[in-house]
Amino acid sequence: MKAPFFVTTILLLTGYCASPFLMLALSGLVTSLVAVLLAVVLVPYFIELISCDHRPPVVGPISNQLIHFQTLYGYMTSLARKYPTFRFVTPSHSEVYTVDPMNVEYILKTNFANYTKGEYNIGIIKDLFGNGIFAVDGAKWRHQRKLASFEFSTKVLRDFNTVIFKSSTVKLVEKISLIAATEKAMNLQDLLMKSTLDSIFKVGFGFDLDTLSGSDEASNRFMKAFDDSNGLVYWRFVDLLWRVKRFLNIGSEAALKDNIRIIDNFVYELINNKRDQMKNKDLYRDKEDILSRFLMESEIDRENMSDEYLRDISLTFVIAGKDTSASTLAWFFYMLCKHPLIQEKIGQEVISVTEANKDTSIDDFALKLTESALQNMHYLHASLTETLRLYPAVPLDGKSAEKDDVLPDGFKIKKGDGVGYMAYPMGRMTYIWGQDAEVFRPERWLNNGVFQPESPFKFTAFQGGPRICLGKEFAYRQMKILAAFLVYFFKFKLVDESKQVRYRTMFNLHMDEGLHLYAFPRF
């Protein structure tokens, strides 16, 4: 990143024209600022370290997360093996994390009212998520929850999104077939992200983006800006100077501002186009998409359903419909490549349940993939769930304590503390899942071949309690349709079997650098 012109000028002047006295003064100023910053970070840490108030064990100042940011979830896992509940110290409060299922149930359900998003978390994420359901509490949360609950429970929408998921996946199969025919490698995560983005825009907004073809430059810019913003906002949780950088419009904050501008322009244009489309009743008769329903609601409640609010709600559906499903499917296919016998077992289940054969075309397979067939794919369902256990779409989720409290494990929580449960480390705890906790074993979810769910406070991929994910069945249907299609038509193999795939530290568990593999026709 190039330094701003005025910074470059100052450096040149101080380097070549300034007197030794001025250089010494500047050096002293920098040293003093560093000393103050260290004091701000370390003094609260040492004070809390010697506290005897039965608080969760202190594992370090919040700067430790900054040091381990690139491998944050692995670092948190190593700490959780030693301390099921622990905390980091910030200059203003403690950040408490837990993997104890009893604590998780208490936070998400038993004492739900005390553990909100909180001003601290909302202040960090608001620039991107606005007043979307992931970033609000109280009346706004209840309002969006009510609207979303109605949408996800509507049979018309459920049938509509199934049709869209199938048609988008047919395009993906055709795209992969072309690549497979050339025997070239592909980045499957990228293809999945584009396919799920196309699906959610059709289901959510009624528009065909066709991102998968790569022809729509605006949607490609939107997707990149959205993914980059996701990571940049998450960085704020460990960057004590992010507000200063935002004020000065430099570094990561300048990049975030540019990305949010791209996102806003894209979404507001989408809303305006949909509103114009709906005015022409002769041309527009299809109101199954979610945005149309929200726009109809906005005609009734103009004060609360502003365009800005519609923007925030729209982004919520993009996050829920693109990132979570696509990232989970990427890890799923990575696991299948690592476990070819499981890949084959899923393929045989899909063939058996759909009664498809080597002569079945893509369109015919879509017809055979009925709701009943999807429900009977227990091993596929178990494999996707096992993927979510080890690679949850949201690896860490944070709340904030409204009042002083005591967790079920006896540790005291102070008002203003951050309190988070850790889905990624939880999936790797032997005291929760047994000695084979880190082994990918779909059979752990089956009883006589039938899928058996676990407590949402042990398997936390979809949260639990009042904030449990409304789109859970929506997500499973989308993932099962995509997975069934791809496993039926192809076998997959990693380009480099020895390379360890790594995650990108952000709100969702994306693979860093993608998933590079070969696809081979199954028949």
Side-chain angles (χ1 to χ4, degrees), residues 204-241:
F205 314 127
F207 288 107
D208 292 309
L209 279 188
D210 200 19
T211 312
L212 192 61
S213 70
S215 59
D216 190 336
E217 186 60 33
S219 62
N220 287 325
R221 284 200 305 273
F222 166 80
M223 187 169 76
K224 184 179 186 307
F226 187 79
D227 290 345
D228 288 347
S229 296
N230 190 316
L232 289 167
V233 170
Y234 203 75
W235 174 252
R236 285 178 169 181
F237 283 100
V238 297
D239 184 357
L240 297 178
L241 298 177

Side-chain angles (χ1 to χ4, degrees), residues 118-338:
E119 292 183 8
Y120 177 78
N121 291 325
I122 291 173
I124 288 175
I125 65 180
K126 191 176 179 64
D127 285 343
L128 177 60
F129 298 115
N131 287 311
I133 196 169
F134 297 137
V136 291
D137 295 311
K140 288 182 178 178
W141 172 75
R142 287 190 293 272
H143 177 244
Q144 290 182 58
R145 182 84 179 177
K146 182 179 178 181
L147 288 174
S149 177
F150 174 77
E151 295 304 332
F152 282 119
S153 62
T154 302
K155 185 178 183 302
V156 172
L157 180 63
R158 187 166 61 247
D159 294 342
F160 175 61
N161 68 47
T162 298
V163 171
I164 299 305
F165 292 158
K166 288 182 180 180
S167 64
S168 294
T169 307
V170 165
K171 293 179 182 178
L172 178 60
V173 170
E174 292 171 344
K175 178 86 171 181
I176 293 175
S177 295
L178 292 174
I179 299 173
T182 65
E183 299 183 351
K184 291 182 179 178
M186 69 189 75
N187 181 351
L188 186 60
Q189 178 175 253
D190 182 61
L191 295 176
L192 289 167
M193 288 287 180
K194 290 176 178 177
S195 180
T196 54
L197 183 65
D198 287 346
S199 291
I200 195 58
F201 262 78
K202 184 64 177 177
V203 171
F205 314 127
F207 288 107
D208 292 309
L209 279 188
D210 200 19
T211 312
L212 192 61
S213 70
S215 59
D216 190 336
E217 186 60 33
S219 62
N220 287 325
R221 284 200 305 273
F222 166 80
M223 187 169 76
K224 184 179 186 307
F226 187 79
D227 290 345
D228 288 347
S229 296
N230 190 316
L232 289 167
V233 170
Y234 203 75
W235 174 252
R236 285 178 169 181
F237 283 100
V238 297
D239 184 357
L240 297 178
L241 298 177
W242 73 265
R243 285 185 174 84
V244 175
K245 289 156 69 175
R246 183 175 65 173
F247 178 77
L248 297 174
N249 194 32
I250 59 174
S252 57
E253 289 299 311
L256 177 62
K257 185 177 180 180
D258 290 340
N259 282 319
I260 290 177
R261 186 183 300 112
I262 293 170
I263 293 168
D264 287 350
N265 290 341
F266 188 84
V267 176
Y268 283 129
E269 183 178 357
L270 189 79
I271 293 169
N272 291 331
N273 288 342
K274 175 58 67 174
R275 185 176 280 119
D276 291 342
Q277 189 184 68
M278 291 178 68
K279 288 177 182 177
N280 192 335
K281 295 181 181 180
D282 293 331
L283 293 176
Y284 185 69
R285 301 182 183 88
D286 182 9
K287 294 184 177 63
E288 282 110 340
D289 67 89
I290 296 168
L291 181 57
S292 296
R293 294 169 184 268
F294 283 151
L295 282 170
M296 287 188 286
E297 177 78 13
S298 71
E299 292 298 315
I300 302 169
D301 187 6
R302 291 179 180 274
E303 182 177 349
N304 292 317
M305 296 288 284
S306 64
D307 278 9
E308 183 179 0
Y309 195 35
L310 287 170
R311 173 264 189 205
D312 300 340
I313 294 173
S314 298
L315 280 186
T316 296
F317 279 95
V318 172
I319 299 163
K322 176 183 85 75
D323 287 50
T324 54
S325 296
S327 60
T328 300
L329 283 165
W331 291 108
F332 169 77
F333 282 103
Y334 176 61
M335 286 290 97
L336 295 198
C337 290
K338 289 290 188 180

Side-chain angles (χ1 to χ4, degrees), residues 441-461:
R441 188 171 66 84
E443 286 78 10
R444 77 175 75 242
W445 297 94
L446 299 172
N447 183 4
N448 294 323
V450 177
F451 179 81
Q452 296 294 320
E454 282 280 3
S455 162
F457 310 111
K458 175 181 176 181
F459 172 67
T460 58

